Amino acid sequence: MNHRVEAVESDGVQPLADREFEQIRRLAHRTFGLDLKPGKEELVSARLRRLVRDGGFHTFQDYYKNVVADRTGAALLAMIDALATNHTSFLREADHFEFLRQTVVPVLARRDPVEIWCAACSTGEEVWTLAMVLNEAMPGKRIRITASDISNKALRCAERAAYPVARCQGVPPTWMSRYFVADARPATAYRVTPAIRALAAFRRINLVEPYSWQRPFPVIFCRNVMIYFDSATQEKVVAGLASQLEPGGYLFVGHAESLARVSHSLEYVKPAVYRKPDREGKWSKSS
Ligand SMILES: C[S@@+](CC[C@H](N)C(=O)[O-])C[C@H]1O[C@@H](n2cnc3c(N)ncnc32)[C@H](O)[C@@H]1O
C-alpha cells in the first residue's frame, strides 16, 4: 500500500509538500537558528504531525499559517518544542567534567560564589551533573548555576529534576545515595535533592536573539546545540557567548561542534574547550 495515502487516511493530515517544508524550514531558521537541511522532510513531518492534527488542521500549510498568525507566540513555542532535539544525559561527555574538576576548579577556588552559565540545558541532567561535580570538588562553596534553554517544556522538566530510573543509569552509586531521593520502593524515578536543586536557577533564553547578563561568567557550558545551526548562526552565537565570558573564562561546547570553521576570538584549549584571552589580550600557556 502507498504509505503517503495511508497517512492521509489514518489521521486526515495531507503529506508535507515541498513548499510547506520550505516555509517551516525558513521559520525555524529565522526564529531559533535550526538548520533543516534538505532530507529532513520526514523528520519535520513526523515531529509536527501531532500538532497539525491536534490543532484540527488538514494541511501543514494551514498549520503554518496559524503559527505565524498566533500573536501569543504559544504556537511557535510548541513548534520549537516539537522540532528541537532535547537528547541529553547525566555525565554526558564526561571528560569535560574531569577537565573542569582538575583544571578549572583550582582557578575558581578563590571565587565566592562560583557562577556558571549552562546554556541550552535541555531537561537538566547537565545542570545537575555540574552541580554535583562542583559540590564534590568544592565542598561548602557557594555555587550558582544559571541554566537556560529556549524550551519552556524542557525548563520545567529541568527545574522539577525528577528522572525515571533508566535515565539515572551511569550515575555513580555514591552520587545516587548522596544527591537523589527515590519516589517509591522500588523506585520508578529519582529526584535530585533540594540542596542540589537550590544551586541552580532557570531562565528562558533563545541563543539567536539578544540577551544579556549583569556580569560575565568564568565558565559557560553550551553543548550540543550549535550542531543544529549553520555556520553563520554558530558564529553569531559564539560571539554572543564570548561576550558573556570573563577574560580567561572557559567555554565548553559539544565534542561534535568543533569551532574550526567558525571565526571567533577564543583560544583553543582542547577538544570542545575554548578560553577567552586574559585582560591583556594574551593567550594562556596551558589550560
Ligand atoms: C541536544 S540538547 C543539548 C542538551 C545539553 N546541553 C547536552 O549537551 O546534553 C539541545 C537543546 O538546545 C535547545 N535549543 C535549541 N535551539 C535553541 C536556541 N536557539 N536557543 C537556546 N536553546 C536552544 C533545545 O531546546 C534543546 O534543549
Side-chain angles (χ1 to χ4, degrees):
M1 191 196 278
N2 180 327
H3 291 290
R4 288 166 78 92
V5 174
E6 187 182 41
V8 181
E9 282 173 355
S10 60
D11 66 2
V13 176
Q14 299 284 331
L16 176 71
D18 291 350
R19 189 172 41 90
E20 294 168 330
F21 173 73
E22 183 56 20
Q23 287 174 320
I24 291 167
R25 191 190 69 72
R26 285 182 189 208
L27 180 64
H29 184 261
R30 194 170 66 242
T31 52
F32 72 110
L34 181 64
D35 182 23
L36 288 167
K37 295 204 166 49
K40 296 286 184 191
E41 291 83 352
E42 261 186 46
L43 177 131
V44 167
S45 172
R47 290 194 173 177
L48 294 186
R49 193 170 199 93
R50 193 181 58 75
L51 290 177
V52 178
R53 191 191 54 221
D54 292 357
F57 307 108
H58 296 297
T59 64
F60 283 86
Q61 169 77 43
D62 288 344
Y63 163 75
Y64 166 82
K65 281 190 192 153
N66 177 264
V67 172
V68 175
D70 173 25
R71 293 194 177 273
T72 69
L76 180 64
L77 283 184
M79 187 193 93
I80 292 173
D81 269 342
L83 288 178
T85 299
N86 293 121
H87 173 77
T88 184
S89 59
F90 287 105
L91 282 160
R92 183 178 192 185
E93 301 182 16
D95 61 310
H96 272 164
F97 299 104
E98 200 44 40
F99 179 79
L100 185 72
R101 203 175 59 78
Q102 285 186 3
T103 308
V104 184
V105 161
V107 181
L108 297 177
R110 286 186 301 271
R111 304 298 184 98
D112 184 32
V114 168
E115 292 183 281
I116 291 189
W117 178 20
C118 183
C121 69
S122 189
T123 45
E125 288 88 331
E126 187 179 42
V127 180
W128 306 126
T129 302
L130 276 169
M132 292 171 208
V133 167
L134 293 175
N135 191 61
E136 294 279 314
M138 317 171 98
K141 189 70 137 179
R142 282 197 304 158
I143 294 158
R144 280 196 202 142
I145 302 171
T146 303
S148 68
D149 198 278
I150 194 172
S151 163
N152 286 327
K153 196 168 150 197
L155 287 171
R156 276 197 299 275
C157 182
E159 211 160 1
R160 180 160 161 68
Y163 302 95
V165 173
R167 297 256 290 268
C168 300
Q169 269 159 19
V171 177
T174 46
W175 282 18
M176 285 310 301
S177 52
R178 210 170 286 162
Y179 299 127
F180 290 83
V181 180
D183 64 338
R185 276 169 198 264
T188 64
Y190 289 98
R191 189 163 191 207
V192 175
T193 55
I196 289 293
R197 293 208 309 273
L199 305 184
F202 294 86
R203 176 174 155 188
R204 180 176 183 272
I205 286 186
N206 180 349
L207 291 166
V208 304
E209 285 178 354
Y211 54 81
S212 68
W213 297 105
Q214 279 182 338
R215 279 183 303 280
F217 293 88
V219 177
I220 299 176
F221 268 61
C222 183
R223 305 189 308 164
N224 301 302
V225 60
M226 282 187 279
I227 196 171
Y228 302 106
F229 300 159
D230 59 22
S231 316
T233 309
Q234 284 178 359
E235 200 161 305
K236 206 170 114 186
V237 170
V238 173
L241 295 169
S243 74
Q244 303 298 321
L245 262 185
E246 283 181 7
Y250 289 89
L251 171 66
F252 292 76
V253 301
H255 281 81
E257 306 175 302
S258 157
L259 302 186
R261 277 174 305 228
V262 171
S263 158
H264 61 82
S265 58
L266 303 173
E267 173 192 16
Y268 170 86
V269 177
K270 67 193 285 286
V273 182
Y274 296 82
R275 194 172 188 193
K276 187 163 173 169
D278 66 18
R279 276 180 222 287
E280 283 80 47
K282 283 190 297 233
W283 303 116
S284 64
K285 278 250 167 51
S286 70
S287 37

